[in-house]
Amino acid sequence: MSAEEAAEIEGLLDHTEDPAESEAAGGAADESIEDDEADLAKIKARMVEMEAEAAKLKAMQEKQKEAFDAAAGDAGSEEARRESDARSIYIGSVDYSSTAEDLEKHFMGCGKINRVTLATDHFTGKPKGYAYLEFGEPAAVELALALNDSVFKGRQIQVKQKRYNVAGMNKRGRGRGRGRGRSYGGGYRGGYARRGRRGRGW
C-alpha cells in the first residue's frame, strides 16, 4: 500500500460519524421540536382566552346599550305622561249614569277634547263617580277649571287640574290622596278618543 492510499483511508475514517454523537444530536433536535410545539400550544391557548375576553366585552357593551336605550325609552314615556297630564282634568262627583259623550258635551266649549275616561270598579264594572278628560291643548284646562262647582246631570261636579302621576307611586301605602294616571284602581267605562273634532263655543 502506497503512502497516498494510506492517507486516503485515514481521511475517510476521520469523516465517519460516531454513533454516540449522532444519537446526542438527534435527541437535541427532538427536544427543540417539542419546545416549539409547547410554545405554539401556549400561543393558541392565549388566543382562545383573548377571543373569549373579546366576546365577553362585546356582550357587556350590548347589555349596556340595551339598558341605555331602555332608560331613554322610559324617559320619553315619562315626558309623554307629563305632557298628557298637563292637558288633563279630574272631574269628581260625576253621576253614575253619565257617559263619556255626556261629559264631552259639558266641556266641549273649552276646546278640542282628545279623550274622556270614566273610572269603573275593576271587578264589578260599576262606575266610581269620577272621570278624567284630556284636551288637545293645555290652555283648555284653564277654561275647564272655570266649570268647577257647575251642575252636571243634577249634581255639582268638582273640576281640578289632573295631578301628574309618577310611575309606580300610585300603589297602596305610597303617597297621599287618590291614585292618578293610567291606573285608577279599577277599569274604565266609555273611554274613547276624539279625532279631528273641535269644540264649539257656548
Side-chain angles (χ1 to χ4, degrees), residues 86 88-89 110 135 137-148 159 161:
S88 303
I89 58 173
C110 301
F135 290 103
E137 299 294 334
V141 172
E142 294 299 324
L143 297 175
L145 294 178
L147 294 177
N148 182 44
V159 182
Q161 169 78 55

Side-chain angles (χ1 to χ4, degrees), residues 80-127:
R81 286 195 294 269
R82 187 185 297 272
E83 195 272 339
S84 175
D85 287 348
R87 294 182 282 103
S88 303
I89 58 173
Y90 161 83
I91 310 167
S93 300
V94 177
D95 185 81
Y96 291 152
S97 66
S98 302
T99 64
E101 290 84 357
D102 294 333
L103 284 169
E104 181 186 0
K105 291 177 182 178
H106 191 75
F107 289 94
M108 65 187 303
C110 301
K112 178 184 176 182
I113 297 174
N114 288 345
R115 184 181 298 106
V116 179
T117 303
L118 285 161
T120 59
D121 184 88
H122 181 73
F123 298 101
T124 65
K126 294 181 179 180

Side-chain angles (χ1 to χ4, degrees), residues 30-71:
D30 291 341
E31 290 179 359
S32 177
I33 293 173
E34 290 177 357
D35 292 341
D36 291 342
E37 290 178 349
D39 292 341
L40 182 60
K42 290 180 180 179
I43 293 173
K44 290 181 177 180
R46 179 54 183 163
M47 290 180 64
V48 171
E49 291 178 0
M50 293 176 63
E51 290 176 355
E53 291 175 357
K56 184 177 180 181
L57 179 61
K58 183 178 179 181
M60 291 176 62
Q61 291 174 342
E62 290 178 351
K63 187 175 181 180
Q64 289 177 348
K65 183 178 182 300
E66 291 176 358
F68 178 80
D69 293 342

